[in-house]
Amino acid sequence: MARIRHKSLDCSPGCAVEATLQLIDGKWKGVILYHLLEGTLRFNEIRRRLPNITQRMLTAQLRELEQDGFVLRTVYAEVPPKVEYSLTPRGRTLEPVIMALKKWGDENTGFRRDPESPAKLDEPAADCPVSCVQAGG
């Protein structure tokens, strides 16, 4: 679970922002949450969408998201074992936050065709990473 610097969130108006960012911090958590907005995914489906993440890191990030109550891990008693990941109701509450981050990124990062024109959400830029293209943006 993410460490929060302050024991209570009444320290300043920005403490809630700090706490939220610490829960979804890191290179991969936001992207994992973004992909899970589409629905339930198996481990290797997530891994294929994020080709630059190691298996160890994906496992760690999914465990933290599960511990924080954002992701539900469902294990089916089959051989080989089948494990699925989906967003919990708490995880679904992050949808507007994740989509706002995506919109901001589409409009303000180099992953666009023309830096002077607004990004087209249905067309990834030529320099968009594979995980970005697979995510549709």
Side-chain angles (χ1 to χ4, degrees):
M1 187 161 166
R3 283 182 256 133
I4 297 175
R5 293 183 197 174
H6 307 286
K7 293 185 182 191
S8 69
L9 295 178
D10 60 356
C11 57
S12 75
C15 284
V17 174
E18 178 184 347
T20 303
L21 289 173
Q22 286 182 7
L23 287 171
I24 61 171
D25 75 339
K27 183 175 180 179
W28 300 108
K29 285 185 184 177
V31 182
I32 292 167
L33 291 167
Y34 174 78
H35 287 292
L36 288 175
L37 287 172
E38 296 175 20
T40 301
L41 296 171
R42 293 181 69 176
F43 184 87
N44 282 330
E45 290 175 309
I46 299 170
R47 200 146 174 232
R48 278 191 292 275
R49 292 172 185 226
L50 306 171
N52 296 325
I53 192 171
T54 64
Q55 181 171 335
R56 181 177 177 177
M57 178 58 74
L58 179 56
T59 299
Q61 297 287 273
L62 286 166
R63 282 185 183 153
E64 287 181 24
L65 288 167
E66 182 183 10
Q67 288 171 353
D68 292 333
F70 297 123
V71 170
L72 176 66
R73 179 178 186 260
T74 305
V75 181
Y76 296 91
E78 298 178 3
V79 177
K82 177 181 174 182
V83 181
E84 293 181 336
Y85 296 90
S86 58
L87 292 178
T88 62
R90 182 178 188 205
R92 282 262 163 225
T93 65
L94 287 171
E95 183 170 4
V97 175
I98 298 298
M99 296 313 292
L101 287 169
K102 182 185 182 312
K103 182 177 187 293
W104 189 93
D106 288 341
E107 294 171 356
N108 294 283
T109 64
F111 297 120
R112 308 185 289 190
R113 298 193 184 285
D114 178 4
E116 298 301 317
S117 66
K120 294 180 182 176
L121 298 180
D122 59 342
E123 294 181 24
D127 60 349
C128 192
V130 173
S131 62
C132 179
V133 173
Q134 291 173 342

